[in-house]
Amino acid sequence: MNNSKPKAVITGIAGYVPDYVLTNEELAHMVDTTDEWIMTRIGIRERRILKDPKKGTSDIGAEAVKRLFEKTQTRPEEVDLLVWCGVSADMICPATANIIADKAGVKNAFGFDINAGCSSFLFALITLVPFIETGRCKKIVLVGAEKLSAYVDYTDRATCPLFGDGAAAVLIEPTEDNLGFMDSIARVDGSGRKYLNIKAGGSLMPSTVETIMRRQHYIYQEGQAVFKAAVSNMADTSVELMERNGLAADDIAWLIPHQANLRIISATGNRMGLPKEKVMINIDRYGNTSSATVPLCLWDFESQLKRGDNLIIATFGAGYTWGAIYLKWAYDGIRDLSKGLTGGI
Ligand code: UT7
């Protein structure tokens, strides 16, 4: 027992990905590329796409939240705070958190959006922990959800293989045990904005016929510059976090890296001295889903997690934004209270 302030722990996780599978073979009919190039240079075999033109990020986000409620047997009215994080907001205004709350039946909560590029989930977790530690909130829902296909230029072979759609949500609650969020490092460097951005549609460059003709509403990326910054910053931050918490590679059960490129993931794991068996990887099936990559990994690997496992989350994204979190996982295996699986909490 720990008699100090409560700690914030993740007590449930649920994901949702759209049904449509966009394979490398199909992409090779759309642009000049091959399955071999994409697998070798990025490590993606397929990604999910939300095809229904009437649906947006909030629809897949709300689906993940409803599944989370089912799994954790949480009533929507019990939620104090609901946060959506990501880059593909339904609209400029209002916040996507409001729309997800409405679609998932959350009535007694406040909420807001956090956009930190592909580090959105990491930045949001860091932001939300004090709401639990101070006692301000008892149940927080954080959902990372993206319909990136709305911003991908499917005539640009340099970016269209990279991104996919998907969502995953976590429930964050207090505990008196020495589990949950231990430490974190997060940084921004806005000078990196020129290498990865969506230029038009905001106040700096409002939408015009010209911005549409110049294809400035799509994701723009200078891949090599972003690649170099991602490798060095994700690895440096993770190693710094290990050192200042006295963690050796053997002490870490899992690295959960942002899924942007298999080579970036491998480089980060190698710098931390981790064998590949300790690195969560699902980029081959979903591609880069920005804010959803980390929670989709936790969802996919939930059955293999154990109470007390030391986890490191590491991300890098547009902005630039990057960082790492050290946390101790709170339960054993799959926690699905609707099926009587307590997850050993
Ligand atoms: O999540 C947010 C953070 N984002 C990232 O971390 C992404 C970081 N960047 C990357 O992952 C990589 O830079 C990419 C996967 C985007 C690109 O890989 P690369 O190894 O850096 O390729 P490159 O851009 O240097 O291009 C190498 C060659 C070029 O041809 P030439 O000029 O050498 O003839 C490209 O035109 O590969 C060509 N190329 C392609 N060829 C086949 C670019 N895209 C493709 C493609 N298929 N899809």
Side-chain angles (χ1 to χ4, degrees), residues 32-34 37-38 41-42 118 157-158 161-162 196 221 223-224 226-227 230 258 260-261 263-264 288 316-318:
D32 182 14
T33 191
T34 60
W37 192 95
I38 299 171
R41 304 306 297 166
I42 320 173
C118 293
R157 72 173 183 172
L162 297 167
L196 178 51
Q221 177 170 248
Q224 283 190 8
V226 179
F227 186 95
H258 171 50
N261 186 314
R263 290 180 292 141
I264 299 175
N288 181 349
F316 185 88

Side-chain angles (χ1 to χ4, degrees), residues 155-168:
T155 67
D156 175 14
R157 72 173 183 172
T159 53
C160 74
L162 297 167
F163 301 102
D165 302 337

Side-chain angles (χ1 to χ4, degrees), residues 29-47:
H29 287 101
M30 297 155 69
V31 291
D32 182 14
T33 191
T34 60
D35 174 59
E36 198 213 342
W37 192 95
I38 299 171
M39 283 303 290
T40 318
R41 304 306 297 166
I42 320 173
I44 300 172
R45 190 176 306 283
E46 60 192 38
R47 62 295 283 147

Side-chain angles (χ1 to χ4, degrees), residues 261-326:
N261 186 314
L262 190 56
R263 290 180 292 141
I264 299 175
I265 293 169
S266 304
T268 306
N270 289 342
R271 269 284 305 283
M272 294 168 71
L274 298 177
K276 65 176 187 311
E277 296 72 34
K278 287 187 171 190
V279 182
M280 290 190 190
I281 297 171
N282 61 12
I283 187 173
D284 50 320
R285 289 185 295 131
Y286 304 137
N288 181 349
T289 56
S290 195
S291 66
T293 59
V294 167
L296 278 174
C297 274
L298 289 171
W299 180 53
D300 271 354
F301 285 79
E302 185 185 17
S303 65
Q304 298 182 53
L305 292 170
K306 294 190 193 64
R307 182 179 164 91
D309 272 356
N310 289 321
L311 311 184
I312 302 282
I313 299 172
T315 64
F316 185 88
Y320 291 141
T321 57
W322 68 95
I325 289 177
Y326 162 37

Side-chain angles (χ1 to χ4, degrees), residues 60-258:
I60 52 178
E63 190 56 42
V65 172
K66 284 189 225 164
R67 290 178 176 203
L68 180 71
F69 289 158
E70 174 78 14
K71 261 181 100 175
T72 58
Q73 296 289 283
T74 302
R75 284 178 288 115
E77 58 271 25
E78 292 178 283
V79 174
D80 303 304
L81 170 57
L82 184 143
V83 172
W84 168 74
C85 63
V87 299
S88 53
D90 269 19
M91 306 180 211
I92 300 273
C93 170
T96 301
N98 297 23
I99 306 170
I100 293 176
D102 183 45
K103 289 180 177 172
V106 173
K107 303 282 184 209
N108 296 325
F110 74 118
F112 49 85
D113 292 355
I114 291 181
N115 177 346
C118 293
S119 296
S120 293
F121 190 80
L122 182 132
F123 277 42
L125 274 181
I126 292 170
T127 304
L128 297 179
V129 165
F131 283 92
I132 296 287
E133 290 176 344
T134 58
R136 173 68 177 78
C137 294
K138 294 278 185 265
K139 286 187 192 289
I140 299 176
V141 171
L142 170 61
V143 51
E146 306 279 13
K147 184 188 173 186
L148 294 177
S149 58
Y151 298 95
V152 170
D153 182 349
Y154 287 100
T155 67
D156 175 14
R157 72 173 183 172
T159 53
C160 74
L162 297 167
F163 301 102
D165 302 337
V170 294
L171 183 65
I172 308 170
E173 295 183 277
T175 181
E176 299 301 320
D177 297 332
N178 190 32
L179 296 167
F181 295 88
M182 298 291 159
D183 197 9
S184 64
I185 300 172
R187 297 279 183 274
V188 298
D189 175 4
S191 68
R193 67 189 180 280
K194 57 180 173 288
Y195 301 115
L196 178 51
N197 56 52
I198 300 173
K199 290 186 179 60
S203 62
L204 193 61
M205 192 185 286
S207 311
T208 63
V209 172
E210 287 73 31
T211 62
I212 292 169
M213 299 301 287
R214 289 197 296 263
R215 309 184 85 73
Q216 288 174 317
H217 295 265
Y218 292 121
I219 296 169
Y220 169 84
Q221 177 170 248
E222 291 181 32
Q224 283 190 8
V226 179
F227 186 95
K228 281 185 204 138
V231 168
S232 60
N233 286 311
M234 269 173 72
D236 287 353
T237 312
S238 303
V239 169
E240 185 185 340
L241 197 63
M242 286 170 72
E243 284 172 1
R244 81 180 190 195
N245 286 281
L247 293 169
D250 284 349
D251 300 321
I252 294 168
W254 292 98
L255 166 68
I256 306 121
H258 171 50

Side-chain angles (χ1 to χ4, degrees), residues 2-68:
N2 176 351
N3 290 324
S4 59
K5 63 185 178 185
K7 295 191 82 73
V9 286
I10 292 173
T11 55
I13 176 122
Y16 172 77
V17 289
D19 292 335
Y20 190 84
V21 178
L22 176 58
T23 62
N24 290 347
E25 285 72 21
E26 187 177 349
L27 274 176
H29 287 101
M30 297 155 69
V31 291
D32 182 14
T33 191
T34 60
D35 174 59
E36 198 213 342
W37 192 95
I38 299 171
M39 283 303 290
T40 318
R41 304 306 297 166
I42 320 173
I44 300 172
R45 190 176 306 283
E46 60 192 38
R47 62 295 283 147
R48 300 301 182 100
I49 303 294
L50 181 59
K51 281 286 189 183
D52 186 340
K54 293 200 172 71
K55 291 197 168 161
T57 292
S58 68
D59 292 291
I60 52 178
E63 190 56 42
V65 172
K66 284 189 225 164
R67 290 178 176 203
L68 180 71

